[in-house]
């Protein structure tokens, strides 16, 4: 991009900035086109959904931990779904379904990418705002409408969707099958369609902004790893979400218009339905073609966040910058060719299964490169254990623990035995659920000063980290054990099976750990809300970091920089450089000002 283009862009954005000086409350905080306000809107909505999703998990863990107990105290909360202290079995399925949907899509996709892609992309590449502020605003408000529809579905008489978060047909395609396949499922599909539109609008915006609006000197190899991660996440979403949209659309047709894309030879109460020629396996292919890239849509942004936080708080350059970019590219490509490892038990051709198994195991290689590089960055670093750094290190721990079980499940011979057991639940909660949450907490604690101009309390943050970290391992490690023993997921009550009664105490233990883990999140919530208003005031660059967002005012206004956008001269990871006067050199410092620390090839750039 030429310097002329850059200056034109800057002039346009200056004019854009002047236009925003006299905004009313609604323009500034509700229907704002400022990427920073929109990021906070995504964050607040994500936190709201995380509380609901976590609360649902506590409810069904009560049932699993004490399957014969009566929960009369739940009757005022759940109403008719609790009768004589017993949770309705169909509502149990609905809670499992909504927990998965909320956490995967509404919290770890919209909440995570919506917050950090929006907040950091313009600030870290040196842009006044997103390429299209209006499209950005539209992305959030369509997500908000999707959230309202999903929230309403929790309260309807027949209950929310109850076919599992993967909503496999024929169960989800037949409204008469169970109560959770009725109106709740219709609202689920409408909400997800809106959600996908929101994600596509956001993704197009993120990619366009990174390609076109980088400041002078900001080449692709000078971008922070966060921006690489957010861009690749947006590309994955752009290519895979339309496939889920088509799957949902065909499911709506089967449910409401009498088509047979997924239905064939179905009998209900002994009566044959007219549907013929469809295949429920088609839905699984369409769903998992999104579903596997989706796990990387969830985890890739955290790769970037954790890389940034580890290098900043180790006071060392990131180890293997180009290898980190290469591994993210490799993961992004491979994520599209492994989807059928979720389908080893569908009767697929064993040769085809071996191909997907081979590709699945290969994806461990770029993942291992990332882990090695994080550990090498930490090695002999001058580590500062901020709360964000604790969460970054915790993330690496969870990613290793959960990733190792992924290699086991990637092997089709083992997966056929472990499919639909708690081993699978434990695997993806460690590697995708808990790890992504740790990455999200890491980002919130680290960029909170730039979002709100204040610092979160580090002592409360440390208490929050240790309680969460210990609770996560106490919940999911025992699940591996009971999963290997064959304990099935999604069972409302397992006491009728003699083989599973030996796990009563372990299930109670898991439930207690889950309740403690959920409760400890309120420490974060208090710290977050209190610090917005009463936290210690932040300086412009509290972490002594090198990236561009720390060159803006403490609380940047619309347009981010009050004057000229700074030019970039170097990569973002010049920490503890031999010969330098301080242990960090921001990207905006020319080589002519750091002659004592310049490397031989950098002397030509002075």
């Amino acid at each position: 991009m030429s310097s002329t283009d850059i200056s034109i862009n800057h002039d346009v954005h200056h004019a854009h900035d002047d236009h925003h000086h006299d905004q009313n409350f609604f323009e500034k905080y509700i229907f704002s086109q400022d990427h920073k306000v929109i990021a906070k809107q995504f964050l607040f909505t994500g936190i709201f959904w995380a509380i609901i999703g976590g609360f649902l998990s506590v409810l069904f863990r009560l049932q699993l931990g004490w399957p014969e107990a009566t929960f009369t105290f739940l009757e005022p909360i759940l109403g008719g779904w609790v009768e004589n202290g017993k949770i309705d079995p169909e509502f149990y399925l609905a809670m499992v379904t909504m927990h998965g949907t909320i956490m995967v899509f509404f919290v770890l996709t919209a909440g995570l990418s919506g917050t950090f892609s929006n907040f950091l992309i313009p600030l870290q590449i040196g842009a006044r705002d997103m390429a299209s502020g209006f499209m950005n605003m539209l992305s959030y408000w369509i997500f908000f409408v999707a959230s309202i529809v999903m929230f309403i579905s929790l309260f309807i008489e027949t209950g929310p969707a109850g076919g599992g978060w993967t909503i496999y047909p024929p169960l989800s395609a037949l409204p008469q099958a169970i109560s959770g396949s009725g109106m709740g499922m219709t609202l689920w599909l409408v909400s997800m369609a809106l959600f996908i539109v929101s994600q596509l609008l956001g993704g197009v915006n993120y990619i366009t902004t990174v390609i076109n609006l980088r400041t002078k000197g900001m080449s692709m190899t000078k971008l922070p790893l966060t921006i690489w991660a957010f861009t690749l996440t947006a590309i994955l979403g752009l290519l895979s979400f339309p496939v889920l949209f088509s799957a949902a659309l065909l499911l709506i047709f089967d449910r409401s218009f009498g088509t047979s894309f997924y239905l064939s030879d179905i009998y209900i109460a002994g009566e044959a339905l007219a549907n013929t020629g469809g295949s429920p396996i088609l839905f699984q292919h369409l769903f998992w073609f999104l579903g596997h890239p989706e796990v990387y849509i969830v985890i890739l942004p955290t790769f970037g966040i954790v890389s940034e936080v580890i290098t900043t708080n180790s006071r060392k350059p990131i180890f293997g910058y180009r290898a980190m970019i290469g591994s993210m590219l490799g993961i992004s490509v491979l994520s599209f060719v492994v989807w059928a490892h979720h389908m080893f038990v569908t009767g697929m051709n064993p040769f085809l299964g071996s191909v997907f198994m081979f590709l699945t195991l290969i994806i461990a290689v770029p993942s291992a490169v990332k882990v090695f590089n994080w550990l090498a960055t930490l090695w002999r670093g001058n580590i500062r254990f901020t709360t964000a750094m604790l969460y970054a290190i915790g993330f690496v721990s969870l990613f290793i623990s959960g990733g190792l079980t992924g290699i086991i499940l990637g092997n089709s011979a083992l997966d056929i035995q472990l499919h639909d057991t708690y081993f699978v639940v434990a695997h993806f909660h460690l590697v995708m659920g808990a790890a992504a949450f740790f990455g999200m907490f890491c980002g919130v604690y680290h960029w909170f000063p730039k979002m709100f101009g204040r610092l979160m309390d580090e002592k409360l943050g440390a208490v929050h980290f240790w309680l969460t970290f210990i609770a996560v391992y106490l919940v999911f490690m025992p699940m591996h054990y009971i999963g290997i023993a064959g304990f099935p997921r999604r069972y409302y009550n397992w006491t009728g099976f003699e083989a599973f009664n030996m796990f009563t105490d372990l299930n109670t233990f898991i439930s207690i750990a889950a309740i403690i883990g959920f409760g400890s999140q309120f420490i974060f919530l208090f710290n977050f809300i209190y610090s917005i208003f009463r936290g210690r005031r932040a300086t412009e660059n509290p972490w002594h970091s090198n990236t561009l967002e720390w060159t803006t005012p403490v609380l940047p206004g619309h347009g981010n920089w009050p004057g000229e956008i700074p030019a970039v001269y170097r990569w973002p990871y010049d920490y503890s450089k031999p010969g330098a006067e301080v242990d960090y050199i921001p990207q905006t410092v020319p080589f002519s000002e750091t002659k004592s620390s310049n490397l031989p090839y950098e002397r030509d750039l002075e």
Side-chain angles (χ1 to χ4, degrees):
M1 189 172 179
S2 72
S3 56
T4 317
D5 294 336
I6 294 285
S7 63
I8 290 169
N9 274 328
H10 287 194
D11 292 341
V12 168
H13 281 291
H14 270 304
H16 189 57
D17 193 32
D18 294 337
H19 176 66
H20 279 80
H21 283 178
D22 47 346
Q23 293 177 311
N24 61 37
F25 176 82
F26 281 96
E27 284 176 323
K28 194 170 183 183
Y29 295 110
I30 310 296
F31 298 109
S32 173
Q33 295 187 25
D34 183 347
H35 69 100
K36 298 179 292 300
V37 176
I38 294 169
K40 290 174 194 174
Q41 290 173 327
F42 271 109
L43 179 60
F44 294 143
T45 313
I47 289 172
F48 168 79
W49 275 120
I51 293 166
I52 290 180
F55 179 64
L56 290 173
S57 71
V58 166
L59 290 179
F60 61 72
R61 271 316 319 175
L62 285 174
Q63 171 62 32
L64 289 166
W66 298 274
E68 298 299 332
T70 54
F71 304 108
T72 48
F73 65 91
L74 289 178
E75 287 180 14
I77 304 169
L78 300 180
W81 296 112
V82 180
E83 199 167 324
N84 301 322
K86 291 286 187 185
I87 296 172
D88 185 278
E90 291 203 359
F91 189 68
Y92 171 84
L93 289 176
M95 288 194 294
V96 173
T97 302
M98 296 306 286
H99 166 75
T101 304
I102 287 165
M103 291 305 203
V104 173
F105 294 114
F106 284 43
V107 180
L108 295 176
T109 302
L112 180 56
S113 282
T115 299
F116 292 105
S117 295
N118 264 313
F119 191 75
L120 292 177
I121 286 175
L123 285 170
Q124 289 194 336
I125 68 170
R128 295 285 180 200
D129 208 313
M130 284 289 179
S132 169
F134 179 75
M135 192 188 281
N136 208 15
M137 177 191 75
L138 210 57
S139 168
Y140 172 74
W141 284 105
I142 293 174
F143 167 59
F144 186 77
V145 173
S147 294
I148 289 172
V149 174
M150 194 66 83
F151 191 66
I152 288 169
S153 80
L154 292 169
F155 298 98
I156 59 173
E157 191 178 352
T158 52
W165 79 279
T166 55
I167 58 157
Y168 284 174
L171 189 62
S172 60
L174 299 168
Q176 66 270 46
I178 58 170
S179 64
S181 292
M183 176 58 82
M185 185 64 71
T186 303
L187 291 174
W188 190 99
L189 290 164
V190 170
S191 174
M192 285 305 298
L194 289 165
F195 168 82
I196 291 165
V197 172
S198 154
Q199 292 305 297
L200 295 176
L201 285 170
V204 169
N205 221 356
Y206 305 151
I207 296 163
T208 308
T209 305
V210 172
I211 291 172
N212 291 310
L213 294 183
R214 301 190 307 280
T215 189
K216 184 180 178 183
M218 181 66 87
S219 64
M220 295 299 280
T221 48
K222 288 178 188 162
L223 287 174
L225 288 171
T226 38
I227 303 302
W228 276 100
F230 300 149
T231 308
L232 289 171
T233 302
I235 293 169
L236 289 188
L238 217 55
L239 295 175
S240 61
F241 269 120
V243 180
L244 181 65
F245 189 86
S246 65
L249 200 61
L250 297 184
L251 189 54
I252 290 169
F253 286 165
D254 273 14
R255 286 172 55 80
S256 306
F257 301 109
T259 57
S260 300
F261 291 106
Y262 306 131
L263 299 172
S264 186
D265 307 317
I266 305 286
Y267 290 81
I268 291 186
E271 187 180 331
L273 299 186
N275 306 80
T276 55
S279 169
I281 305 297
L282 168 63
F283 179 87
Q284 290 196 31
H285 279 293
L286 293 173
F287 182 89
W288 288 115
F289 190 82
L290 159 94
H292 203 80
E294 168 64 21
V295 305
Y296 292 103
I297 288 167
V298 165
I299 209 75
L300 267 172
T302 62
F303 285 170
I305 289 167
V306 164
S307 300
E308 186 68 35
V309 170
I310 284 179
T311 187
T312 299
N313 290 298
S314 298
R315 311 313 291 164
K316 275 179 65 183
I318 191 80
F319 185 92
Y321 172 77
R322 286 173 190 259
M324 289 296 243
I325 295 169
S327 62
M328 284 195 285
L329 286 166
I331 286 169
S332 300
V333 172
L334 286 169
S335 72
F336 280 102
V337 288
V338 295
W339 78 88
H341 67 211
H342 297 270
M343 300 169 56
F344 285 142
V345 295
T346 59
M348 70 160 62
N349 184 311
F351 173 74
L352 191 60
S354 70
V355 172
F356 278 103
M357 182 181 88
F358 176 67
L359 291 165
T360 300
L361 297 181
I362 286 176
I363 212 165
V365 176
S367 303
V369 168
K370 299 202 78 61
V371 170
F372 177 82
N373 287 8
W374 286 323
L375 297 178
T377 305
L378 287 165
W379 177 249
R380 302 189 73 175
N382 184 16
I383 298 174
R384 301 181 309 196
F385 287 103
T386 63
T387 307
M389 186 61 158
L390 290 175
Y391 269 106
I393 296 168
F395 170 91
V396 176
S397 166
L398 290 168
F399 190 68
I400 294 169
S401 308
L404 287 171
T405 54
I407 297 170
I408 295 166
L409 289 168
N411 186 317
S412 56
L414 295 172
D415 179 77
I416 286 166
Q417 304 303 318
L418 295 169
H419 188 83
D420 263 349
T421 68
Y422 268 83
F423 193 89
V424 178
V425 175
H427 157 68
F428 74 74
H429 275 85
L430 279 182
V431 78
M432 183 187 102
F437 262 106
F438 271 49
M440 194 169 180
F441 285 133
C442 171
V444 170
Y445 280 105
H446 188 73
W447 279 286
F448 191 89
K450 193 51 64 181
M451 286 183 178
F452 300 104
R454 294 176 183 268
L455 293 160
M456 290 181 77
D457 187 273
E458 288 288 318
K459 286 178 183 169
L460 278 178
V463 172
H464 173 228
F465 167 76
W466 285 111
L467 282 173
T468 306
F469 184 71
I470 292 165
V472 162
Y473 271 116
L474 291 182
V475 168
F476 298 115
M477 274 311 187
M479 280 189 189
H480 290 94
Y481 173 70
I482 63 174
I484 288 172
F487 198 94
R489 59 192 289 208
R490 295 185 177 135
Y491 273 39
Y492 164 76
N493 193 332
W494 39 267
T495 51
F497 300 87
E498 194 63 43
F500 301 143
N501 281 335
M502 62 191 286
F503 299 122
T504 304
D505 292 344
L506 210 46
N507 263 304
T508 306
F509 176 82
I510 290 169
S511 291
I512 292 167
I515 292 164
I516 292 168
F518 178 68
S520 62
Q521 302 320 302
F522 288 93
I523 299 170
F524 165 79
L525 201 63
F526 169 77
N527 193 358
F528 182 81
I529 295 168
Y530 180 84
S531 299
I532 289 174
F533 302 104
R534 306 294 296 274
R536 194 158 51 88
R537 290 191 182 277
T539 56
E540 201 170 273
N541 187 359
W543 315 122
H544 295 153
S545 197
N546 289 342
T547 41
L548 279 179
E549 75 271 27
W550 305 107
T551 64
T552 63
V554 176
L555 270 177
H558 195 90
N560 298 333
W561 287 268
E564 198 70 24
I565 295 179
V568 164
Y569 298 94
R570 59 181 72 229
W571 78 322
Y573 301 116
D574 268 342
Y575 292 104
S576 302
K577 204 171 181 185
E581 294 172 18
V582 286
D583 72 347
Y584 70 106
I585 308 173
Q587 286 187 280
T588 53
V589 176
F591 289 108
S592 58
E593 293 179 20
T594 56
K595 292 184 178 180
S596 61
S597 64
N598 287 350
L599 299 171
Y601 78 91
E602 291 171 342
R603 286 174 195 144
D604 301 334
L605 303 170
E606 288 177 6

